[in-house]
Amino acid sequence: MLTKPLHGVIPILPAPFTADGADIDYRSLRRVIDAVIEEGVHGVALLGVASEFYKIADDERRLMIETTVEHTAGRVPVIANITRHSTELAVKDAKHAEAAGADAVMVVPPSFIAPSNAAIVEHIEAVAGAVDLPVIIQYAPNVTGVGIPVETFLEVERRTGGRMYIKAESVPPGPMISAIVEQTGGRMGVFIGNGGVQTYDALERGAVGLMPGAAMLRPYLDIYEAFARGDKDAAFRRFNDLLPILNHTTQSAELFVRFEKAILKARGVIASDVCRKPNAIADAGLMQMLWKYGKYAEERLGIKLWP
């Protein structure tokens, strides 16, 4: 059970697959969990876009949550993503996550057949009402194709009565962050995603944290920690040093996952960097640029992100 609000750097864990893509590699998943906790994260989340949730079978989804909760063993909070378009199934998934020991759930509002705002509110309310856990609404219109006005999220926050967060992944997310922070008096905590491309602007506007990938966390942690202690200049410099890498890795959601896995494999954290098909193909030129940015990171960030 959470004893304080969610905050900080909470990476989305990948779904490591076996070399043939047929199964989840749970040994590699455990290594990822250990690696990110050792780096100092404030929580872990799974079954988001960076987990290739849309390529995960139901039994795999359940076992990934159970394995993550068991292996994390209370070291940091665990957030389970609920991605069903069916309200009834989303409620079942949320109940399973709670029973497995997750500390919070993150809900992707349904987007298929473009539901009304009222239907979206009803869906989120049903999930929130089914569990005694904090709820994060993941708003990613670039992925779902459905835009939702800020007023809808404010209505959900009012009607659920608290312990509600939002992961704002609109582009740009800044205006939404400001509106939510101001109109809820900070009650509704805001995280950002999008690989952390808008990290500094989000923190300036009152975001409580970010949910990047799991492959190169040290720069994000440095930015967040510098900002939290009031050294905004250091946070801004660190963020700008990171931006060239993010410009390369965040060109599309599938490429982001591909690069994340390539880095984690190069670091020896996961055994295979396979993404289930269909997937984005990173040709030799794209991969060469990725490794070039690794050298850049050593020179500008002063850290070795990968071998």
Side-chain angles (χ1 to χ4, degrees):
M1 181 67 68
L2 287 174
T3 58
K4 59 183 179 179
L6 295 167
H7 69 285
V9 180
I10 301 177
I12 307 298
L13 302 176
F17 298 122
T18 53
D20 60 1
D23 299 294
I24 303 289
D25 177 357
Y26 292 99
R27 180 176 297 178
S28 287
L29 176 61
R30 293 183 181 94
R31 286 202 297 266
V32 175
I33 293 167
D34 287 338
V36 301
I37 292 176
E38 184 177 341
E39 288 188 83
V41 299
H42 303 87
V44 295
L46 70 159
L47 298 170
V49 173
S51 312
E52 298 173 82
F53 76 85
Y54 42 90
K55 301 176 184 177
I56 306 296
D58 287 353
D59 59 332
E60 292 174 332
R61 176 191 59 77
R62 290 188 289 269
L63 188 52
M64 280 187 70
I65 293 172
E66 292 163 7
T67 299
T68 300
V69 170
E70 181 272 329
H71 194 70
T72 301
R75 289 178 286 174
V76 295
V78 174
I79 301 166
N81 218 16
I82 308 300
T83 58
R84 302 282 196 176
H85 277 56
S86 158
T87 301
E88 293 82 0
L89 293 179
V91 165
K92 287 183 180 179
D93 284 358
K95 287 181 175 179
H96 167 264
E98 182 176 41
D103 298 285
V105 294
M106 183 157 59
V107 182
V108 178
S111 57
F112 193 69
I113 71 168
S116 66
N117 285 337
I120 289 169
V121 170
E122 182 180 355
H123 180 91
I124 298 170
E125 275 193 301
V127 174
V131 294
D132 187 23
L133 296 173
V135 174
I136 305 166
I137 306 169
Q138 181 176 6
Y139 178 51
N142 288 358
V143 174
T144 65
V146 173
I148 304 172
V150 171
E151 291 72 20
T152 298
F153 301 118
L154 296 174
E155 181 182 355
V156 170
E157 194 274 337
R158 286 192 297 268
R159 289 171 60 164
T160 55
R163 292 205 301 170
M164 184 70 64
Y165 301 79
I166 185 165
K167 183 184 181 187
E169 296 190 278
S170 51
V171 179
M176 170 173 279
I177 295 169
S178 292
I180 289 173
V181 171
E182 291 167 7
Q183 294 186 51
T184 66
R187 291 189 311 275
M188 192 174 193
V190 183
F191 287 87
I192 64 156
N194 289 332
V197 174
Q198 301 92 2
T199 293
Y200 189 86
D201 180 45
L203 293 174
E204 281 280 21
R205 293 173 182 264
V208 299
L210 56 148
M211 296 185 182
M216 49 179 193
L217 287 166
R218 189 66 259 164
Y220 297 110
L221 287 160
D222 289 346
I223 295 162
Y224 177 81
E225 290 163 1
F227 195 95
R229 66 175 180 264
D231 193 348
K232 293 185 178 183
D233 288 341
F236 189 70
R237 287 193 303 271
R238 197 70 158 169
F239 173 65
N240 277 281
D241 285 338
L242 178 62
L243 271 179
I245 304 174
L246 298 184
N247 285 337
H248 184 66
T249 59
T250 62
Q251 294 179 74
S252 76
E254 275 280 334
L255 268 179
F256 180 77
V257 176
R258 177 70 185 87
F259 289 141
E260 283 275 300
K261 287 189 167 182
I263 295 167
L264 288 167
K265 182 181 178 183
R267 291 175 53 194
V269 180
I270 62 176
S272 168
D273 58 1
V274 165
C275 297
R276 279 180 172 166
K277 299 177 181 179
N279 54 36
I281 303 300
D283 68 6
L286 286 170
M287 295 307 297
Q288 184 178 5
M289 282 301 299
L290 180 66
W291 307 132
K292 190 175 184 68
Y293 280 122
K295 181 64 175 176
Y296 164 92
E298 281 191 63
E299 296 170 351
R300 293 296 297 272
L301 296 171
I303 54 176
K304 195 164 187 173
L305 292 179
W306 53 82

